[in-house]
Amino acid sequence: PASLIMASVRAALRAQVDNVFYLYEIVRRLNVMLCRDTETHEFVTLFYGVVDARSRRLTWCDGGHPPPLLLRDGQVTELESLNMVLGIDEEAEYRQASIDLRTDDRLLFYTDGLTDAMNFDEEAFGKERIIEAMRKPAATAEAMTQNILWDLRRFRGLAPRRWMPRRRAASEMFPPQSKRMRWMCSHSTRASEGVVALGSSSSSRTFSNTPRI
């Protein structure tokens, strides 16, 4: 089942992060493990990122996951999608990239469960509606997330629920005792979907629904 695959991926990731420095090597090892331990029709998408709290540099390595959306100065852009999904090609090579975050930047991490949510007319919610919701006035990353979820509910109406977003209270992005924060946004075939929002400002930094590693 997808839930067992997800559990094994998270456990394997935790086992690697304290011993391997390069993100691309961690993801490569996860890919090899999945290729050897799963069926040919099973795969995992993954976004693994590390934030340096002092420099505000985000370094990431993805595995076929929908690229996060960056809201900066009213404009929304996608972070670069670098690699293929995990569990398909044992010989696949993985790359990592980085970006320097600025004050008031917002990052949205999501899965295709958000873009593919259907209304009664079987029309998908789509990426453009997400971008429109991100641009609405919002004081925090949590408020931006609520704008997106509210637009999604209005779009879907009373259509049968094929997807239900998970929510978690906002927490501190960079705890005082930690210089670096790692997180993973990932799902495997048939796994439940999630929405993650990250915000950075001069006075506060918060996550919403962040799968902690």
Side-chain angles (χ1 to χ4, degrees):
S3 59
L4 294 180
I5 296 176
M6 280 298 305
S8 66
V9 168
R10 294 189 66 172
L13 181 62
R14 288 191 178 99
Q16 297 288 342
V17 294
D18 290 332
N19 302 309
V20 182
F21 179 78
Y22 293 107
L23 276 63
Y24 63 81
E25 177 61 18
I26 293 173
V27 175
R28 187 195 69 80
R29 294 185 183 189
L30 292 177
N31 176 62
V32 171
M33 178 203 74
L34 285 166
C35 287
R36 295 176 179 177
D37 296 345
T38 59
E39 301 293 335
T40 55
H41 64 277
E42 295 174 328
F43 64 91
V44 169
T45 74
L46 174 145
F47 182 95
Y48 174 45
V50 176
V51 174
D52 187 308
R54 291 183 176 177
S55 67
R56 294 190 181 184
R57 171 164 291 186
L58 165 65
T59 304
W60 76 90
C61 181
D62 74 299
H65 202 76
L69 299 174
L70 170 65
L71 175 63
R72 173 177 287 174
D73 299 328
Q75 300 298 316
V76 178
T77 58
E78 288 184 342
L79 297 189
E80 183 181 6
S81 182
L82 305 168
N83 308 303
M84 67 179 296
V85 299
L86 281 67
I88 302 298
D89 180 8
E90 188 172 340
E91 301 298 323
E93 297 292 331
Y94 290 85
R95 297 179 295 151
Q96 66 184 49
S98 62
I99 187 174
D100 292 327
L101 300 176
R102 303 175 186 172
T103 297
D104 295 327
D105 278 356
R106 302 268 174 83
L107 276 170
L108 181 76
F109 302 84
Y110 65 97
T111 72
D112 55 10
L114 180 60
T115 52
D116 294 348
M118 297 283 189
N119 62 12
F120 271 111
D121 296 326
E122 297 190 352
E123 178 186 7
F125 188 62
K127 189 179 298 181
E128 288 303 316
R129 290 185 176 87
I130 299 174
I131 292 174
E132 290 176 7
M134 289 180 68
R135 287 175 173 163
K136 292 181 179 179
T140 64
E142 173 70 15
M144 184 185 74
T145 304
Q146 293 303 319
N147 284 342
I148 296 169
L149 295 178
W150 177 245
D151 283 2
L152 174 65
R153 293 187 186 102
R154 290 193 301 175
F155 172 80
R156 293 186 68 254
L158 298 177
R161 293 185 177 183
R162 301 177 184 175
W163 171 82
M164 175 57 70
R166 296 169 295 159
R167 291 181 293 173
R168 186 177 300 171
S171 59
E172 286 302 313
M173 175 176 165
F174 303 132
Q177 70 274 17
S178 175
K179 295 180 180 179
R180 306 178 81 192
M181 172 63 74
R182 297 182 176 92
W183 77 95
M184 177 180 73
C185 184
S186 173
H187 80 284
S188 61
T189 50
R190 297 180 297 169
S192 59
E193 320 296 355
V195 178
V196 181
L198 177 156
S200 176
S201 68
S202 58
S203 59
S204 65
R205 306 177 180 93
T206 60
F207 277 114
S208 172
N209 188 33
T210 306
R212 292 292 183 86
I213 298 302

